[in-house]
Amino acid sequence: MSALPFVFTSPYILFGLLALPAIWWLLRLTPPRPKAEVFPPLRILATVLKREETPSKSPWWLTLLRMLLAAAVIFALADPVINPRNNTLAGSGPLVLIVDNSWAAAPDWERRVRTAEALIGDAERAERPVSLTLTADREHDAEPGTTAAALEKLAAAKPQPLVPDRVRAAESVIEAMNGTAPGTLAYITDGVATPEDRAALSSLASLQASEFRVIEGDGQQVAAITGAENGADTMTVSLSRLSTNGAANYTINAQDSQGRILASDGASFAPGAAETTAKINAPFELRNDFARLSIDRLSTAGAVHLLDDGFRRRRVALLAGETGNDFQPLLQPLYYISRALQPYVDLAPQQQPDLAVAIPELLQTNPSVIVMADIGRLPQETYAPLERWLSRGGTLIRFAGPRLAAAPAEDPLVPVTLRQGERALGGALSWAEPQPLADFPNFGPFAGMPRAEGVHIKRQVLAEPTPDLAERTWASLADGTPLVTTRTVDAGRIVLFHVSAEASWSDLPISGHFVEMLRRIVQQSQVGGSSASENAPAAALPPYRVLTATGSLSPDIGAARPLEARPGQAPRASFDNPPGLYGTETGFVALNLLPPGATLRPIDTSLAGTPVATEGLVGEAATSLRPALFIAALLMLFADSLIILFMNGAFSKMPRARSSAAAILIAAFSAFALLTPNPVHANDAKPGDEEILNRLDTTHLAYVRTGEDDVDRVSQQGLQGLTEFMTWRTTLEPGAPVGLDIAKDELSFYPIIYWPISATAPMPSTAAISRIDAYMRAGGTVLFDTRDQFSSLNSGTSANGQRLQEILANVDIPPLEPVPQDHVVTRSFYLLKNFPGRYTGSPLWVESRQDAAKTTSGISSSGDGVSPIIITGNDFAGAWAVDDNGAPVLPTVPPDEMQREYAYRAGVNIMMYMLTGNYKADQVHVPDILQRLGQ
């Protein structure tokens, strides 16, 4: 960074300030301001005789404003920069820029990009070529090129969920430079050391750059999960961090496959400590549901530890032919087995000596593995449940002994056919010496294990030779006789050790190989003995989900290749096999970024063997004052223009304009005061005004309250159902239905009022009927529903019909007729031929079209008006009525849901007819309507 608070990018332009005195002299000369004079002739004659004068000088403050404007433009062109960068690159060679785009660079990737952009900007100003290499990319193109190409490549770069391959990147740079020494070699590192740092830094130092810079962040956000162990009672999670300055606390979350947090625990780093552990206390059944561990608030691939089926803790049931002697534990059949498996599994020991009772009890615990030590003949009733458990995915491990050697050869729970008796080696009657183990085959769970040196077998049970015996043998003696054999049973597996589980037959139970062999067999078993899928290692597992640099699983596998299981070699994350899940949805293996036990250490720049300049990422970016100066110059130019217009009299009529503007503002304020409720005189409002204002915001359907609760409830539910139907089927969204007292409430707010006629309801007063008459004369419509179609089928006029006649006796109603087939209401929204409700059969009566006979068109209507009265007896509200759950309240007569559907459509057509009039009768719609009718 520069020591100056700011610098000028183009300082030579500042010589333009020398021209300011000349600009000052020129700007002082302005034409005199025009003056408004009265028209006396003598005044004109006096000015004619006046001698010629020089132009008036501009005011000093206006000249100063213009000088400041010119100075602002000159300074802006010189481009002053606050907090400038040191734009000097060493030497004359190209800029070689190497960037770690690894998982540890993800937290501050944007700052790294800005740092690289600043270096490329330095090269652009110095007209240097740029070589850009990303250490975590699969392919490298380190050839020096233009700064534009480098910026484009940098913009497309992103962090990868990998450890950087610095050696390969350095080799690519050396090959691309081809002996050319760089000017500046800048390495933006993630700060995490790798085993190959010495070779990589030494290779970069061999380029003999004029300047070698190493740029890194503070490492405060770089922490990773380096391992997890599912213990007997808790899960132990190992963590490591890069920066050891001060103490640090993290939260470890254990999540299931759906991303839900099942358990959490804290992890604390002491000051100066780079490693720590966290313990998650949870039942092993809950721990078996863990799919991933993550560090809260850290979004990196290293902060995530994926778990697969092999990580889950198994339950192993133990059975023995005899319980043994507690005073001689080393002679007990299960002693060495329990000691070998206890750190890795949950043991379920035998509780009952009776196998007929013990086996069903152990099967109820749903074990993954059952171990039988020297059990020959099983109770007959236990074979069927054991075989069902095996077929579902259980693993049965059996150990030989005197009882198994004497058992019948046709035992179905033995993987191979056994010979009667056992084979003794090294005894008085034997000419063979105790046999060591042969090399483990390259298949099976023991593949890759070293030969068991020092282990000798003195006694074993032998298998009958069969064509597939070699394929079923996981381990054998030096003379070729099988030691461990296996057989699959549906989804399960049977494994037999041809020696006893204690040290009387061999040295195997007291060796470390015994622990590893049992652990690998148990690891192959399925959790809970379920038939999910066998997790045995395959030759190659396809990529299923890939971990991103931010710690999320993605189905986009990109160029990932299948994961190959190599004997004796644990898989490592690489370009070909990025961290993630490999396999299928039914079974997969987790490949994590860091190997177990890894530790994050800061990179050691002294390994380069040459002086290296270290610096941090860019913090506060350099800020150019050019935009601010140009904006200031523009504002001063705008102010100068206003001043000139004012001096030239352009605003001479401002007083009148101000008066007009003031009048407008006063009028607007008065109107706002009239429309806004006055809190001081809030008591002046009439009762019901607030309710009226609320009903003016949208269209509401209204009904007449008859005074009978049953009728009014059906009316309210019916109009509510019609409102919901229109909201669903049309663009009209009415508000909640409103019940009206026609004697008191304002009726003009509603386009249509539904009036259910009831002969038992009180007769409306004369004044109320007069208000209805006035409402219809003013353009409103009343839908009278006598609801008597069902009863009117039996005899003449019903009681409700008589009541309607009494109501309309004093109302001046127009002539009525049933709705014609070409009436607007039949096509206002749906194309309808009849208008059913809860009942069907009653015609819909509307105002008669007096001029229909005179109309030559096939489609006509009664002018632009809408019928003020509509009468039906089909009980519309009964068909529309729904309860709070949206279910119909009353059945249709006859029961027919299509009749209810047409009743809703009739209601929609009536509402659209009310709101649009005879719009649909326009002749421009005739072709479309005829086409829909199929005519």
Side-chain angles (χ1 to χ4, degrees):
M1 305 296 290
S2 174
L4 298 176
F6 67 91
V7 297
F8 290 95
T9 304
S10 305
Y12 298 106
I13 298 180
L14 294 178
F15 286 106
L17 295 175
L18 300 177
L20 287 180
I23 297 175
W24 174 278
W25 181 79
L26 293 174
L27 292 179
R28 292 184 63 195
L29 303 178
T30 58
R33 175 186 174 184
K35 297 182 179 180
E37 298 286 355
V38 191
F39 185 66
L42 296 178
R43 181 71 175 177
I44 295 177
L45 293 176
T47 56
V48 171
L49 299 176
K50 197 170 185 179
R51 61 184 176 85
E52 183 179 357
E53 298 178 351
T54 59
S56 160
K57 299 179 180 179
S58 65
W60 68 269
W61 48 269
L62 180 59
T63 303
L64 178 61
L65 176 65
R66 293 173 176 175
M67 292 293 294
L68 292 176
L69 189 154
V73 172
I74 293 174
F75 278 111
L77 295 176
D79 191 13
V81 178
I82 297 178
N83 190 28
R85 286 181 44 80
N86 185 1
N87 293 335
T88 302
L89 296 178
S92 58
L95 169 65
V96 175
L97 184 59
I98 303 174
V99 180
D100 279 343
N101 59 328
S102 61
W103 69 273
D108 52 1
W109 178 248
E110 295 301 327
R111 288 185 62 195
R112 296 174 184 274
V113 171
R114 290 200 302 269
T115 303
E117 289 175 344
L119 290 170
I120 296 174
D122 296 345
E124 182 179 14
R125 285 183 286 272
E127 298 181 353
R128 306 273 189 89
V130 177
S131 169
L132 176 60
T133 306
L134 302 168
T135 60
D137 280 0
R138 181 187 295 269
E139 303 294 337
H140 295 308
D141 182 10
E143 290 291 337
T146 63
T147 57
L151 289 173
E152 183 179 355
K153 183 178 179 180
L154 181 64
K158 61 181 180 179
Q160 301 295 331
L162 296 169
V163 175
D165 192 343
R166 294 163 180 162
V167 172
R168 198 163 64 94
E171 292 174 352
S172 300
V173 172
I174 293 174
E175 181 180 357
M177 296 305 296
N178 194 20
T180 302
T184 295
L185 172 60
Y187 179 24
I188 304 178
T189 175
D190 59 9
V192 181
T194 64
E196 296 81 14
D197 285 347
R198 180 183 297 275
L201 294 176
S202 300
S203 298
L204 293 177
S206 65
L207 290 172
Q208 298 181 352
S210 301
E211 181 186 25
F212 191 171
R213 300 186 195 175
V214 175
I215 306 170
E216 59 181 316
D218 55 12
Q220 294 294 331
Q221 294 181 304
V222 180
I225 298 177
T226 57
E229 181 179 350
N230 199 359
D233 300 321
T234 62
M235 176 178 291
T236 303
V237 184
S238 302
L239 293 91
S240 181
R241 63 170 177 167
L242 181 61
S243 176
T244 59
N245 296 329
N249 297 315
Y250 295 97
T251 299
I252 309 302
N253 294 328
Q255 300 167 288
D256 62 6
S257 58
Q258 304 297 324
R260 295 169 295 201
I261 298 177
L262 301 182
S264 297
D265 193 67
S268 300
F269 286 93
E275 298 176 350
T276 189
T277 58
K279 295 186 180 296
I280 300 179
N281 297 312
F284 92 95
E285 292 87 357
L286 183 62
R287 283 182 273 131
N288 282 347
D289 290 335
F290 293 172
R292 58 183 281 164
L293 305 172
S294 60
I295 303 177
D296 193 26
R297 301 182 183 277
L298 286 186
S299 299
T300 64
V304 173
H305 190 81
L306 301 176
L307 307 175
D308 55 21
D309 188 63
F311 177 81
R312 299 180 183 179
R313 194 172 181 86
R314 273 72 169 168
R315 174 171 286 161
V316 177
L318 302 179
L319 289 170
E322 61 178 356
T323 58
N325 190 346
D326 292 339
F327 296 100
Q328 293 179 328
L330 297 181
L331 298 180
Q332 292 184 7
L334 298 176
Y335 178 81
Y336 296 103
I337 296 175
S338 60
R339 296 303 186 275
L341 292 177
Q342 189 173 9
Y344 310 107
V345 301
D346 286 310
L347 297 177
Q350 179 181 352
Q351 301 295 335
Q352 299 290 337
D354 186 1
L355 294 179
V357 179
I359 291 177
E361 287 183 354
L362 291 176
L363 289 177
Q364 289 180 357
T365 63
N366 195 24
S368 300
V369 180
I370 295 179
V371 180
M372 293 184 180
D374 191 19
I375 294 179
R377 188 186 301 271
L378 292 171
Q380 189 62 34
E381 63 272 18
T382 62
Y383 279 97
L386 279 173
E387 290 174 348
R388 287 195 299 269
W389 171 78
L390 277 171
S391 64
R392 292 196 303 268
T395 299
L396 176 62
I397 303 177
R398 303 191 66 175
F399 284 85
R403 288 179 174 81
L404 183 61
E410 65 274 6
D411 189 348
L413 298 181
V414 174
V416 294
T417 303
L418 299 179
R419 294 182 180 180
Q420 289 287 338
E422 71 269 12
R423 175 196 183 198
L425 301 172
L429 300 179
S430 175
W431 59 85
E433 296 293 332
Q435 291 290 310
L437 270 64
D439 291 333
F440 293 106
N442 57 2
F443 62 90
F446 308 148
M449 288 182 58
R451 171 185 276 190
E453 300 291 345
V455 176
H456 292 84
I457 308 300
K458 295 177 290 185
R459 182 173 293 183
Q460 68 178 137
V461 292
L462 294 176
E464 290 287 352
T466 57
D468 59 347
L469 182 59
E471 299 176 359
R472 296 187 182 185
T473 301
W474 280 352
S476 59
L477 303 184
D479 61 0
T481 56
L483 177 66
V484 181
T485 56
T486 182
R487 177 169 63 92
T488 58
V489 180
D490 293 335
R493 182 180 294 278
I494 301 175
V495 180
L496 173 63
F497 281 76
H498 290 239
V499 294
S500 63
E502 30 77 30
S504 62
W505 283 30
S506 69
D507 301 329
L508 181 62
I510 59 176
S511 69
H513 284 76
F514 185 70
V515 178
E516 182 64 15
M517 291 169 73
L518 284 180
R519 190 189 69 82
R520 292 196 178 197
I521 296 174
V522 172
Q523 201 72 13
Q524 273 198 354
S525 66
Q526 300 168 22
V527 178
S530 65
S531 59
S533 71
E534 190 168 348
N535 196 41
L541 298 175
Y544 172 56
R545 293 288 188 271
V546 174
L547 197 67
T548 64
T550 57
S552 60
L553 284 174
S554 172
D556 184 10
I557 61 175
R561 298 180 180 178
L563 181 66
E564 297 182 1
R566 295 181 175 87
Q569 182 180 356
R572 301 287 293 268
S574 63
F575 296 107
D576 294 334
N577 300 123
L581 303 177
Y582 289 80
T584 62
E585 183 179 3
T586 58
F588 48 78
V589 171
L591 177 62
N592 288 293
L593 173 67
L594 300 176
T599 303
L600 303 182
R601 300 296 184 195
I603 188 172
D604 186 4
T605 57
S606 64
L607 298 176
T610 187
V612 175
T614 59
E615 58 184 272
L617 301 175
V618 295
E620 182 182 358
T623 304
S624 174
L625 296 181
R626 174 182 289 182
L629 290 173
F630 274 126
I631 292 175
L634 181 63
L635 293 177
M636 286 187 285
L637 179 62
F638 181 71
D640 181 84
S641 301
L642 290 179
I643 292 172
I644 293 299
L645 291 174
F646 183 82
M647 294 178 63
N648 289 337
F651 301 106
S652 59
K653 297 183 179 180
M654 277 298 295
R656 182 180 302 175
R658 285 197 299 268
S659 300
S660 301
I664 294 174
L665 290 176
I666 293 174
F669 179 78
S670 301
F672 178 77
L674 291 175
L675 295 177
T676 305
N678 190 348
V680 179
H681 303 286
N683 295 330
D684 295 340
K686 296 180 180 180
D689 286 353
E690 183 177 356
E691 182 179 359
I692 291 174
L693 291 175
N694 291 335
R695 293 179 181 176
L696 289 175
D697 61 344
T698 186
T699 302
H700 294 266
L701 305 184
Y703 64 92
V704 175
R705 294 201 297 265
T706 62
E708 295 183 344
D709 294 339
D710 294 342
V711 176
D712 294 342
R713 183 171 59 255
V714 172
S715 298
Q716 191 274 334
Q717 293 174 333
L719 295 189
Q720 180 63 36
L722 181 59
T723 298
E724 295 176 0
F725 186 86
M726 286 191 293
T727 302
W728 179 39
R729 295 289 184 88
T730 72
T731 58
L732 176 63
E733 298 182 4
V738 178
L740 298 176
D741 183 354
I742 59 176
K744 300 178 181 179
D745 294 337
E746 179 60 45
L747 307 180
S748 59
F749 300 148
Y750 312 101
I752 186 170
I753 298 175
Y754 177 77
W755 190 339
I757 304 300
S758 177
T760 58
M763 179 68 182
S765 63
T766 304
I769 295 176
S770 298
R771 299 183 80 236
I772 286 292
D773 188 16
Y775 166 76
M776 291 191 295
R777 291 178 183 276
T781 299
V782 180
L783 172 57
F784 293 97
D785 194 342
T786 59
R787 305 174 296 116
D788 58 355
Q789 173 60 24
F790 181 71
S791 60
S792 65
L793 296 176
N794 300 327
S795 59
T797 305
S798 65
N800 290 348
Q802 293 177 1
R803 174 56 62 88
L804 177 60
Q805 293 178 3
E806 295 173 1
I807 292 173
L808 298 180
N810 297 322
V811 178
D812 185 16
I813 63 174
L816 303 178
E817 65 175 351
V819 172
Q821 293 184 355
D822 59 349
H823 197 276
V824 179
V825 75
T826 64
R827 58 183 184 273
S828 57
F829 194 84
Y830 293 103
L831 299 179
L832 299 176
K833 295 182 179 179
N834 51 31
F835 298 86
R838 188 183 176 201
Y839 313 118
T840 183
S842 174
L844 186 69
W845 296 85
V846 295
E847 180 183 1
S848 176
R849 298 176 296 176
Q850 300 298 323
D851 57 344
K854 303 177 184 179
T855 305
T856 59
S857 173
I859 299 179
S860 62
S861 181
S862 56
D864 292 332
V866 175
S867 177
I869 182 172
I870 301 176
I871 301 175
T872 185
N874 286 333
D875 190 7
F876 280 163
W880 300 336
V882 294
D883 57 15
D884 294 338
N885 296 323
V889 175
L890 300 174
T892 61
V893 180
D896 184 6
E897 287 305 314
M898 284 306 301
Q899 179 175 326
R900 192 184 305 276
E901 173 70 18
Y902 280 111
Y904 279 121
R905 296 184 180 185
V908 172
N909 273 29
I910 292 173
M911 277 301 301
M912 294 302 175
Y913 171 58
M914 296 299 102
L915 298 176
T916 63
N918 65 349
Y919 162 74
K920 292 290 185 175
D922 195 341
Q923 291 296 319
V924 297
H925 299 285
V926 171
D928 296 333
I929 296 175
L930 291 178
Q931 182 179 3
R932 290 184 59 188
L933 291 174
Q935 298 179 5

